[in-house]
Amino acid sequence: MSNFAQRNLEGIFLTVFHAVCRVYRPLRSWIGACVLGVFVLMTAAVVQIFPVSNWDMFAYTAVVLESDTDDVTALHRQSYSLVRDNVTEGEFITLTEDRPYRVRQARDAEAFHTMLGFYRLKVLYVETARLLADLAGPVEALRMISMMSALAIGVVLLAWLARTGTLMYGPVVAAFLMLSAFGYAALLITPDLYATFFLVLAAFFYVEKLDIPAALTLVAAFLTRPDHLAFIGVFFVFAAIYGPGRWIQACCFAACLVTYLWITRGWDHPGWWIHMWFTHIEYAPTLKDFKPAFSIGTYLEMLMRSTVRSLMGFSWIALLFALILFFAKCVVPDRMDQRSRVLLYAVFASICAKYLVFPHYETRFYLPYLIIMGMILLVGWHRQQISET
């Protein structure tokens, strides 16, 4: 190609590029909002159109139903029957015959009933499902919670972006949600996405200086998944050190701590160590008389095994490292507002604390914290870019 033709081609390309930029610039906020909105709507739709079936469906269905019956055998039969009616034949076979543990749970009502202590603690999740079960069946209600949680998180993120003038970064947020296993968490019947909504909303309220709504939504997140007590405790410590909202967060932490002690002692929860053993060492067929002795060596084995699985099959450690690197290279902490710094430091510290207390390896367990960190850093970087121009 001659130099003349190359210059003409470059000129055409630059003309088209500048024309697209002139059209895009005044519409970029609308485009960004549309991209994020479409992604969230697509995720919510997939929950209903292509749902994923996981074994926890049986347990959560049983917990939703157990207020209506004291008969363990009838509860077991009804729970498995309802799940069978809402999954394909192949999925039901996988969920009931895939491994010895699932076979035992499908055939032994008493063994299955001992597992429900793991699930009763998700009080708000269960009660919401019971409420929605009046409109649909229990399994449909659990899927409905996932769908509505995905939509609600999208609304909060759009409001956060709009409030900070960063709607043009909607595609960036959508991409980050993809990498953070947002879609996978939505497809599962678990309380993770429901709790994520409350945590992200609490973070938004806190940076907007709405301390009481922030505390109330933190309590809701705790009642949905009590293991978020780790974040509430660390958040209280940072709020107490730096100042903003210290007394309200202190009351929030105290209320959650008292509630945690009450529900773990009174609702047949097997306890921290048994839960750890069950998750990382073996699926015991029944928790009756199951009392493995605590061992530092076994705990370190759990920690190592979980770390390897996190690195090999999940993205949360890589995303956390990327966020830390972005913070170190692109964001000046002293130029961030105090509430954003408090929240950012508390989220990072709570991830570390939560991992040491109970080393989950799946990204879905860290989804709300990754979203909060990403939003704080995105908004902080944007504001610094504006101040420099």
Side-chain angles (χ1 to χ4, degrees):
M1 184 181 294
S2 66
N3 290 336
F4 177 75
Q6 288 180 352
R7 286 195 295 271
N8 282 341
L9 186 60
E10 290 174 2
I12 293 171
F13 173 78
L14 290 174
T15 300
V16 172
F17 176 76
H18 289 307
V20 171
C21 288
R22 284 194 298 271
V23 174
Y24 168 75
R25 191 167 289 111
L27 299 174
R28 57 185 180 175
S29 293
W30 288 100
I31 294 172
C34 287
V35 170
L36 179 57
V38 168
F39 170 73
V40 171
L41 287 172
M42 179 183 67
T43 303
V46 170
V47 172
Q48 293 298 316
I49 299 172
F50 302 110
V52 170
S53 302
N54 52 305
W55 188 88
D56 287 349
M57 298 168 66
F58 295 111
Y60 282 120
T61 300
V63 173
V64 170
L65 294 173
E66 68 177 347
S67 61
D68 299 328
T69 178
D70 296 327
D71 188 328
V72 172
T73 302
L75 178 65
H76 177 268
R77 183 174 58 252
Q78 188 177 3
S79 300
Y80 271 77
S81 176
L82 285 169
V83 173
R84 180 189 288 112
D85 293 340
N86 285 275
V87 299
T88 66
E89 182 178 353
E91 288 173 325
F92 187 76
I93 291 173
T94 300
L95 294 173
T96 56
E97 301 181 18
D98 177 55
R99 62 196 69 168
Y101 171 79
R102 292 181 174 181
V103 172
R104 176 70 180 275
Q105 300 309 306
R107 297 177 181 177
D108 188 340
E110 292 290 343
F112 174 73
H113 195 260
T114 65
M115 300 296 159
L116 302 186
F118 289 131
Y119 300 88
R120 294 189 186 101
L121 269 66
K122 284 78 170 183
V123 181
L124 185 58
Y125 182 64
V126 172
E127 291 302 323
T128 303
R130 284 176 180 162
L131 181 65
L132 294 175
D134 294 335
L135 305 175
V139 178
E140 294 91 336
L142 293 168
R143 286 201 175 116
M144 198 180 300
I145 292 174
S146 294
M147 180 188 69
M148 292 190 301
S149 297
L151 293 173
I153 291 169
V155 171
V156 174
L157 292 178
L158 286 170
W160 198 335
L161 292 172
R163 179 68 175 163
T164 54
T166 53
L167 275 172
M168 72 286 289
Y169 299 117
V172 176
V173 176
F176 189 79
L177 291 177
M178 294 178 201
L179 296 174
S180 303
F182 175 77
Y184 177 68
L187 290 174
L188 292 178
I189 289 187
T190 65
D192 299 297
L193 208 64
Y194 197 29
T196 295
F197 161 65
F198 288 119
L199 286 169
V200 174
L201 183 59
F204 177 57
F205 282 149
Y206 182 74
V207 296
E208 289 293 314
K209 302 180 181 180
L210 300 171
D211 291 328
I212 293 178
L216 292 175
T217 45
L218 282 177
V219 171
F222 162 76
L223 291 175
T224 304
R225 277 201 68 99
D227 58 332
H228 289 305
L229 179 66
F231 168 68
I232 295 171
V234 172
F235 188 30
F236 153 67
V237 171
F238 277 91
I241 293 172
Y242 287 94
R246 59 159 62 97
W247 295 114
I248 293 175
Q249 296 308 318
C251 294
C252 175
F253 174 63
C256 292
L257 180 60
V258 171
T259 305
Y260 181 80
L261 295 174
W262 174 59
I263 62 178
T264 52
R265 291 180 180 178
W267 290 8
D268 297 327
H269 187 268
W272 166 75
W273 180 246
I274 292 177
H275 199 168
M276 284 269 287
W277 187 286
F278 190 86
T279 302
H280 295 287
I281 301 299
E282 63 172 323
Y283 285 138
T286 177
L287 295 183
K288 185 178 181 180
D289 301 323
F290 181 67
K291 297 179 180 179
F294 176 76
S295 166
I296 291 292
T298 304
Y299 166 75
L300 293 176
E301 178 187 346
M302 294 176 186
L303 198 63
M304 183 179 300
R305 181 182 298 182
S306 183
T307 302
V308 171
R309 295 183 73 174
S310 297
L311 290 171
M312 294 296 102
F314 300 92
S315 61
W316 70 271
I317 292 181
L319 286 173
L320 183 61
F321 179 76
L323 289 171
I324 294 170
L325 187 62
F326 182 80
F327 174 68
K329 294 293 184 180
C330 303
V331 179
V332 181
D334 293 338
R335 295 171 64 181
M336 297 175 64
D337 66 272
Q338 191 177 40
R339 284 178 175 264
S340 294
R341 290 204 309 273
V342 169
L343 189 57
L344 182 67
Y345 300 156
V347 168
F348 174 73
S350 68
I351 291 176
C352 301
K354 189 175 180 181
Y355 191 73
L356 290 174
V357 172
F358 202 118
H360 287 297
Y361 51 85
E362 292 186 60
T363 303
R364 63 187 172 95
F365 292 107
Y366 306 97
L367 174 62
Y369 308 119
L370 294 172
I371 292 175
I372 293 169
M373 287 185 70
M375 289 297 296
I376 291 172
L377 292 176
L378 177 64
V379 172
W381 173 80
H382 173 74
R383 287 174 173 171
Q384 289 178 24
Q385 296 301 305
I386 291 177
S387 65
E388 291 174 1
T389 57

